[in-house]
């Protein structure tokens, strides 16, 4: 068994919005990265084996028609998000730093300087959280293959595939707000 790091040295795994409502393809449209959930599960297991801090973030949509509304069964976490996190943040906006309890305050109180981000969706809540984490001074690893997103239309009506949006997120974040990595890279450290 590996030697466990103190909480000051160990990065926090931030698992964002891995909720059942994102399985509603009729609502969201075509997605990318069918391996996302397997990779999220591998990251959670890796953190648990080392007793490193985990944060689960759950989106509470204000729209009663959304599959992520608290009254909808899709609000629940997917089965891969197992166990009890060190912190559960509930939010109704894109950034995990604007939820309750306060993620930034918790990270500061725990002496955590590095976060590893995974979840759904790549270009919304995951990217927004990574940008804010970078701006707040955290070292950020963005695990691109442990995220997924959906195709979206541009204002002029052109449809961008989920894979294109994921690539744009990686380009936006890498070297500026975060280091974009893959699950295998994180597990090999």
């Amino acid at each position: 068994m590996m030697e466990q790091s103190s909480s000051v040295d160990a990065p926090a795994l931030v698992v964002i919005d891995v909720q059942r409502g994102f399985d509603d393809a009729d609502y969201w449209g075509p997605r990318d990265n069918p391996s996302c959930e397997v990779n999220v599960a591998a990251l959670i297991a890796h953190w648990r084996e080392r007793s490193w801090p985990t944060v689960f973030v759950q989106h509470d949509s204000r729209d009663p028609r959304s599959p992520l509304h608290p009254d909808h069964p899709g609000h629940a976490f997917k089965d891969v998000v197992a166990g009890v996190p060190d912190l559960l943040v509930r939010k109704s906006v894109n950034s995990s730093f604007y939820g309750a309890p306060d993620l930034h305050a918790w990270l500061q109180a725990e002496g955590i300087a590095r976060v590893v981000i995974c979840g759904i969706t790549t270009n919304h809540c995951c990217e927004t959280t990574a940008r804010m984490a970078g701006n707040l001074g955290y070292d950020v690893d963005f695990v691109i293959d442990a995220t997924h997103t959906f195709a979206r239309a541009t204002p002029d009506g052109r449809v961008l595939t989920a894979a294109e949006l994921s690539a744009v997120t990686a380009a936006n974040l890498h070297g500026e707000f975060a280091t974009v990595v893959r699950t295998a890279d994180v597990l090999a450290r």
Side-chain angles (χ1 to χ4, degrees), residues 48-95:
R48 291 262 156 76
E49 288 169 3
R50 288 153 181 76
S51 298
W52 288 351
T54 58
V55 177
F56 295 167
V57 180
Q58 189 170 33
H59 192 82
D60 295 342
S61 177
R62 294 179 184 148
D63 180 352
R65 298 165 298 170
S66 170
L68 303 179
H69 189 274
D71 292 339
H72 192 286
H75 182 260
F77 286 121
K78 294 184 183 199
D79 291 343
V80 298
V81 182
V84 177
D86 295 287
L87 180 70
L88 172 63
V89 175
R90 299 198 50 189
K91 65 178 182 57
S92 59
V93 296
N94 301 106
S95 176

Side-chain angles (χ1 to χ4, degrees), residues 22-43:
F22 282 118
D23 290 337
D24 186 345
D26 291 335
Y27 187 88
W28 302 103
R31 70 174 268 188
D32 69 339
N33 191 15
S35 299
C36 171
E37 289 84 354
V38 170
N39 290 335
V40 168
L43 291 168

Side-chain angles (χ1 to χ4, degrees), residues 155-184:
D156 65 3
R158 186 168 54 102
V159 175
L160 298 176
T161 68
E164 289 172 321
L165 290 169
S166 183
V168 168
T169 290
N172 287 341
L173 292 178
H174 191 69
E176 181 73 22
F177 299 98
T179 300
V180 175
V181 296
R182 301 187 67 73
T183 302

